[in-house]
């Protein structure tokens, strides 16, 4: 259920970001001289080349890059929310190394560790023969 909710929130964020209005980059200049001169004149006269816009004769820079502020707020909220979810999951399911017993000494066999008789003891019959 939590994964479905996370996917729905992610899909809603993508829709908000894709449907918002953005500035279009300036057109690329072509190789011939007339097109290059025309392109330079157009680039000099259009403020969209600098990602700026003109309102009532004054040029402004768009600090939101043409994206709706609500979409920026939702994106920031999503980053913080999913970061907290990942942090909580990492803390919940983390197995800390201090709970494992320290290794002391060298190798001992299974029979010594579990208190079983040795496999080399001749009084114990081993196998079907």
């Amino acid at each position: 259920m939590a994964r479905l909710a996370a996917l729905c929130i992610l899909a809603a964020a993508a829709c908000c970001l894709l449907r918002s209005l953005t500035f279009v980059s300036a057109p690329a200049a072509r190789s011939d001289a007339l097109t290059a001169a025309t392109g330079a004149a157009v680039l000099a006269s259009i403020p969209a080349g600098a990602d700026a816009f003109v309102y009532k004769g004054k040029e402004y820079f768009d600090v939101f890059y043409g994206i709706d502020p609500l979409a920026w707020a939702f994106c920031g909220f999503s980053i913080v929310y999913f970061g907290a979810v990942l942090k909580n999951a990492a803390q919940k399911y983390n197995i800390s190394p201090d709970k494992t017993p320290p290794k002391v000494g060298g190798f001992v066999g299974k029979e010594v560790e579990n208190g079983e008789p040795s496999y080399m003891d001749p009084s114990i019959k081993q196998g079907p023969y």
Side-chain angles (χ1 to χ4, degrees):
M1 186 67 181
R3 290 182 183 170
L4 179 63
L7 288 175
C8 289
I9 291 172
L10 188 61
C15 287
C16 287
L17 290 175
L18 291 176
R19 295 190 69 206
S20 63
L21 298 175
T22 58
F23 285 112
V24 179
S25 63
R30 298 203 180 176
S31 61
D32 62 331
L34 181 60
T35 308
T38 307
V42 168
L43 286 176
S45 64
I46 295 178
D51 288 335
F53 62 94
V54 177
Y55 179 71
K56 292 186 179 178
K58 187 173 179 184
E59 186 175 1
Y60 294 94
F61 180 73
D62 187 14
V63 294
F64 293 112
Y65 301 105
I67 300 173
D68 188 29
L70 182 61
W72 280 111
F74 183 75
C75 180
F77 173 78
S78 298
I79 290 171
V80 171
Y81 176 78
F82 286 116
V85 167
L86 287 173
K87 178 197 68 91
N88 290 340
Q91 286 180 342
K92 181 177 181 181
Y93 297 111
N94 184 26
I95 299 172
S96 61
D98 58 349
K99 292 182 181 178
T100 58
K103 291 190 175 190
V104 178
F107 174 79
V108 292
K110 180 183 85 160
E111 67 278 351
V112 175
E113 186 175 319
N114 296 331
E116 299 174 351
S118 174
Y119 70 94
M120 298 177 72
D121 190 3
S123 64
I124 299 173
K125 184 177 181 192
Q126 299 285 330
Y129 39 90

